[in-house]
Amino acid sequence: MEEQLNKQFKPLNKIAIPKLQKLKKIGYDVNAKDKIYAFLFLGPSLLILSIFVFYPMLRTLYLSFFLTNTLGKPTVFVGFNNYVNLLTSSTYLNSLKATITYVIAVSMLTLVLGILLAQAASKKIAGINFFRTIFSGTMGVSVSVAAIFWLFIFNPSVGLLDQVTTFLHLPTINWLTQPGWAMLAVIISTVWMNLGFTFLIFFGALQSVPKFLYEAAEIEGASKSYQFFHITFPMISPTIFFISIITLIESFKSFGLIDLMTAGGPDNATNLMVYRIYQDAFLSGNYGSASTQSVILAIIISLFTLMQFKLLEKKVTY
Amino acid sequence: MSIELKNIAKTYDNNSWILKGINTRIKTGEFFAIVGPSGCGKSTLLRMIAGLIPISSGDLQIDNHSVTNLPPCDRNLTMVFQDYALFPFLDVEANVGFGLKARKMDVVKIEERVANALALVDLTAVKKRKPRELSGGQRQRVALARAIASDAKICLMDEPLSNLDAQLRGKMRSEIRELQQRLGLTLIYVTHDQIEAMTMADRIMVLNEQQVQQVGSPAEIYQYPANSFVATFFGTPRMNLLKAHCTQIHNHSLVIDPQLSFPTPFDLPAGDYFIGIRPQSFTIVAQISKANATIKNIEYLGTEFIVYVELDNGAKIRIAAAKQSSLSLNERILVKTPEDFLIFDHAGRAISSMKGTQKNGRTTKQAVQTAQ
């Protein structure tokens, strides 16, 4: 059998070998043609990525070692001075702290509420489709609309929440002008904005858990809560992992709601890292320092994501 | 443990019935198969027994206690699903022990039971593997082990072998049967495969069109089918049904053609009848002069031939022949009246049974009773 096969393939070898030799003789790299094709295919996306991603990245890294003029032109090379100044500045460290508080609170709340809403919407109740639409509704709401909506709710004199506190004979809360409350307010608004997408993804994940797993558990006598923690939870763990990474990165990058609701105030309480970068670069013209902050932010996000991967990766593969 | 179904019915809209008037008693330690074509409601019935879906009307009793309104876990039964219902994130051991752990049983006891169950199905060697690292047959056995570990005396199985290839299915059939005998389980087994039902079950319930068609042992069902549906559902190749029309008031034979007439056990009133003949009952004679049929196709199955024959009146029949290598396509043949046949009325109800009917004319019911 093998001999037969060899016989069949011999002619092919005989044809292929002289060709190779010939090509090598005239100094032509056989792979060159392939390489040209490869670059032709990669070219367009490579070009676009270079202009809009790679160049800005490298330029940011470059600028982070310089002082700049207000136009963003580097003037004095300062080495790691920008980094040292930032990491010893109390306002920057405060911003870092606020950001991490915000990010952790937003990610946690989004995850938990998203799962709870999806779980609730998975029940077979009359009119559940209406709620499914409502729950995923924030996906279609723009940041500016959401900001106005929440500004009305948080308004200390006519807002909905004020009416509630008045009704309960509680003191008026200046939601957006008291540091602690302002942070809470932006966290609530961001979670609300995130929920539509998170709900939809979790809802899909819950639907894809095979029904007979629950039936088997039901017959075996597992309680509903046992079923949730020992079937639902592990079954949707890949989705939880995915959503937690997306939300984490997204909340590090939060900008729109902060800008429209508190503009980083009061007293820098909600001046998150991205918002501070925007202020330093585009309002104060400190491109050097802003670049440094961007680099630090990128490093922090990478570290968090890496940590998540290390922590959760093992638990979600089955 | 015995199970009694009393007038069980299922409807989702109070209007159309999925199942109606299901009555039967399943004895302790019995292998009871529920068989029928897809969509006949057999899985629905099993799920109602399991308690996964509510019973619309009627009463379900286990050991003479009504369990109609009890949740599944209080019915003291276990179930093996078609897709095995294994938890992909747990290893074999944890899958088998899942229910015991959920019921907060003592850890040492769980280990012991799981080990026993795994040993019974010969899976001890792979107990640390995840379901995706197992073959189809092994997954099936994990599901069986879980049922065994639960220690319930009633086991429900919903088409447990339909995801396996033919060879493995044959092997698992005898394994399940053996386990059932060894553990003394009362087993209710749902399948669409008549061969599975015939080979495994002590008794079979045939379902079709929302209703029970017949309940009986495999032999009763094969030899004395209650109607033409049951008759054609069991047996491969399928039973032939020949339509016969009688115009006279009293008929003592049903005539298909001059060579093919079937004596009736008693005089039949005028009307339409169906004669049911198993393909194995026919005999073919290659005789040109009296020929009444033509061979249209021949299939070779190894042990036998299936000969597709068209009678001169246009009716098509299947004949199973052991040694017919001399036959050829389009050959004219004589199909002779077989000794064994059944007669059904226009609605398909059996009028006479296959064996010995020509002599004493027992009805199916009587025949079944005497057979018992």
Side-chain angles (χ1 to χ4, degrees):
Chain A
M1 189 71 190
E2 220 162 89
E3 269 177 33
Q4 263 187 340
L5 277 176
N6 282 342
K7 263 183 198 167
Q8 275 183 336
F9 282 103
K10 246 180 193 166
L12 281 179
N13 287 339
K14 272 178 190 162
I15 297 166
I17 291 164
K19 244 194 181 174
L20 263 169
Q21 285 169 339
K22 241 187 216 170
L23 288 169
K24 273 182 187 161
K25 256 185 207 163
I26 54 169
Y28 183 86
D29 186 357
V30 198
N31 287 325
K33 212 170 156 191
D34 295 343
K35 276 182 186 162
I36 291 170
Y37 275 121
F39 274 101
L40 276 178
F41 281 115
L42 287 174
S45 52
L46 212 58
L47 189 72
I48 291 169
L49 281 176
S50 305
I51 295 172
F52 294 104
V53 179
F54 300 142
Y55 172 71
M57 264 168 66
L58 292 174
R59 181 75 182 171
T60 307
L61 190 64
Y62 174 76
L63 281 177
S64 73
F65 298 110
F66 283 87
L67 291 180
T68 64
N69 64 17
T70 45
L71 293 171
K73 291 265 178 256
T75 49
V76 189
F77 177 77
V78 292
F80 279 98
N81 264 11
N82 281 337
Y83 289 89
V84 174
N85 286 343
L86 273 176
L87 294 173
T88 51
S89 136
S90 66
T91 57
Y92 183 73
L93 291 178
N94 274 339
S95 167
L96 188 73
K97 222 171 88 187
T99 309
I100 289 175
T101 315
Y102 170 86
V103 164
I104 290 176
V106 166
S107 316
M108 289 294 190
L109 285 173
T110 307
L111 269 182
V112 172
L113 292 177
I115 294 178
L116 288 181
L117 279 187
Q119 183 77 12
S122 300
K123 298 268 181 295
K124 279 184 186 155
I125 315 166
I128 194 67
N129 275 331
F130 173 73
F131 285 98
R132 286 174 189 167
T133 315
I134 294 290
F135 290 165
S136 51
T138 60
M139 272 179 71
V141 177
S142 77
V143 177
S144 49
V145 174
I148 291 167
F149 170 77
W150 281 101
L151 282 175
F152 270 116
I153 290 182
F154 288 128
N155 188 304
S157 48
V158 295
L160 185 73
L161 279 174
D162 185 60
Q163 289 177 21
V164 174
T165 49
T166 313
F167 180 78
L168 295 171
H169 301 290
L170 295 170
T172 297
I173 297 167
N174 290 312
W175 282 98
L176 298 170
T177 48
Q178 282 172 295
W181 292 113
M183 179 55 109
L184 186 62
V186 288
I187 288 174
I188 292 174
S189 325
T190 317
V191 169
W192 180 81
M193 274 299 277
N194 285 349
L195 268 184
F197 176 72
T198 315
F199 162 76
L200 206 68
I201 300 291
F202 276 129
F203 183 67
L206 287 181
Q207 297 296 303
S208 67
V209 179
K211 292 279 167 292
F212 49 75
L213 289 183
Y214 296 109
E215 291 178 342
E218 193 93 355
I219 288 174
E220 300 271 335
S223 66
K224 287 278 179 225
S225 63
Y226 194 90
Q227 287 179 30
F228 179 79
F229 287 109
H230 289 86
I231 301 175
T232 310
F233 205 71
M235 284 305 282
I236 65 168
S237 60
T239 312
I240 296 178
F241 180 54
F242 166 74
I243 289 287
S244 70
I245 286 183
I246 297 272
T247 337
L248 190 99
I249 294 175
E250 280 303 309
S251 40
F252 263 117
K253 287 159 52 183
S254 287
F255 177 81
L257 274 176
I258 307 282
D259 186 38
L260 292 166
M261 288 178 70
T262 62
D267 194 19
N268 284 330
T270 61
N271 198 353
L272 306 184
M273 293 169 87
V274 169
Y275 196 70
R276 210 187 124 105
I277 292 169
Y278 157 76
Q279 282 183 322
D280 271 8
F282 303 109
L283 301 181
S284 322
N286 291 327
Y287 290 98
S289 169
S291 298
T292 314
Q293 293 176 42
S294 304
V295 173
I296 295 177
L297 180 63
I299 292 170
I300 291 177
I301 293 181
S302 319
L303 284 179
F304 263 89
T305 316
L306 199 73
M307 206 165 72
Q308 260 182 319
F309 263 99
K310 286 278 168 246
L311 279 177
L312 299 173
E313 199 181 29
K314 274 182 191 162
K315 296 196 173 168
V316 298
T317 43
Y318 57 75
Chain B
M1 291 178 127
S2 65
I3 304 165
E4 183 144 17
L5 286 74
K6 286 186 173 166
N7 216 9
I8 300 243
K10 181 70 191 171
T11 174
Y12 284 108
D13 54 5
N14 287 317
N15 200 1
S16 55
W17 295 89
I18 311 286
L19 282 170
K20 228 161 73 180
I22 309 290
N23 284 298
T24 196
R25 187 181 171 85
I26 300 158
K27 288 180 280 244
T28 309
E30 190 173 29
F31 196 125
F32 191 84
I34 301 173
V35 65
S38 52
C40 71
K42 54 191 189 298
S43 283
T44 308
L45 181 58
L46 195 75
R47 272 152 195 278
M48 283 199 286
I49 297 173
L52 294 171
I53 51 176
I55 296 170
S56 302
S57 75
D59 195 31
L60 175 72
Q61 297 188 341
I62 293 179
D63 270 357
N64 300 320
H65 295 293
S66 173
V67 297
T68 310
N69 297 314
L70 288 183
C73 56
D74 293 337
R75 297 187 181 193
N76 195 17
L77 43 77
T78 176
M79 186 160 169
V80 175
F81 292 81
Q82 182 176 359
D83 298 307
Y84 317 140
L86 301 182
F87 303 103
F89 47 87
L90 296 177
D91 62 18
V92 169
E93 223 174 7
N95 258 298
V96 175
F98 183 88
L100 308 178
K101 210 175 147 199
R103 278 180 272 154
K104 301 198 172 63
M105 193 187 258
D106 183 50
V107 184
V108 183
K109 233 177 176 178
I110 294 180
E111 269 178 25
E112 190 189 312
R113 272 219 216 162
V114 170
N116 280 341
L118 285 178
L120 264 177
V121 295
D122 205 16
L123 277 183
T124 315
V126 295
K127 65 180 180 185
K128 289 291 175 209
R129 289 208 201 152
K130 295 273 173 67
R132 72 185 146 85
E133 298 162 326
L134 300 175
S135 68
Q138 285 173 322
R139 281 181 214 173
Q140 176 59 61
R141 286 216 284 271
V142 177
L144 286 179
R146 188 163 65 193
I148 295 166
S150 86
D151 212 24
K153 284 295 165 215
I154 296 174
C155 183
L156 313 179
M157 295 194 181
D158 189 3
E159 307 239 10
L161 303 183
S162 57
N163 285 351
L164 302 178
D165 63 66
Q167 218 170 0
L168 202 52
R169 215 179 298 159
K171 187 165 166 271
M172 290 304 293
R173 276 210 296 254
S174 51
E175 265 183 45
I176 290 178
R177 176 76 184 155
E178 198 185 311
L179 267 177
Q180 182 260 341
Q181 298 276 323
R182 188 142 96 185
L183 300 169
L185 292 174
T186 305
L187 191 81
I188 305 184
Y189 188 101
V190 161
T191 179
H192 65 271
D193 183 348
Q194 46 105 3
I195 298 178
E196 247 171 52
M198 292 286 263
T199 51
M200 297 170 85
D202 295 318
R203 276 198 306 151
I204 300 173
M205 172 191 273
V206 188
L207 279 181
N208 190 38
E209 293 182 340
Q210 300 89 46
Q211 280 171 340
V212 177
Q213 302 294 321
Q214 191 173 359
V215 180
S217 73
E220 280 163 25
I221 291 210
Y222 188 78
Q223 288 171 29
Y224 311 107
N227 54 42
S228 58
F229 171 79
V230 177
T232 51
F233 193 80
F234 289 87
T236 22
R238 264 155 52 92
M239 176 185 267
N240 297 292
L241 278 185
L242 289 176
K243 196 172 176 182
H245 182 69
C246 294
T247 42
Q248 292 160 317
I249 313 269
H250 298 294
N251 298 282
H252 48 270
S253 72
L254 295 168
V255 180
I256 301 290
D257 65 37
Q259 311 301 330
L260 207 55
S261 72
F262 298 84
T264 61
F266 42 81
D267 287 352
L268 294 174
D272 284 334
Y273 295 94
F274 291 97
I275 305 160
I277 311 123
R278 300 256 176 229
Q280 292 83 357
S281 306
F282 275 118
T283 42
I284 300 175
V285 182
Q287 195 172 13
I288 316 287
S289 59
K290 282 187 190 171
N292 63 352
T294 316
I295 294 177
K296 288 292 177 192
N297 194 12
I298 302 173
E299 279 177 9
Y300 177 56
L301 295 182
T303 52
E304 61 181 7
F305 289 86
I306 311 294
V307 186
Y308 292 84
V309 171
E310 190 176 314
L311 295 177
D312 289 345
N313 67 3
K316 292 190 171 75
I317 54 175
R318 293 169 294 276
I319 299 175
K323 282 180 228 151
Q324 293 292 350
S325 50
S326 59
L327 293 176
S328 56
L329 279 184
N330 296 321
E331 192 178 334
R332 295 285 295 159
I333 51 158
L334 167 67
V335 176
K336 289 211 290 193
T337 306
E339 275 180 31
D340 296 338
F341 59 89
L342 295 157
I343 300 173
F344 303 102
D345 68 9
H346 66 280
R349 286 176 298 237
I351 292 175
S352 72
S353 60
M354 195 175 268
K355 304 277 183 196
T357 48
Q358 283 128 306
K359 284 165 209 148
N360 50 23
R362 287 177 303 186
T363 64
T364 309
K365 220 173 190 177
Q366 287 165 331
V368 170
Q369 276 163 359
T370 27
Q372 281 173 334

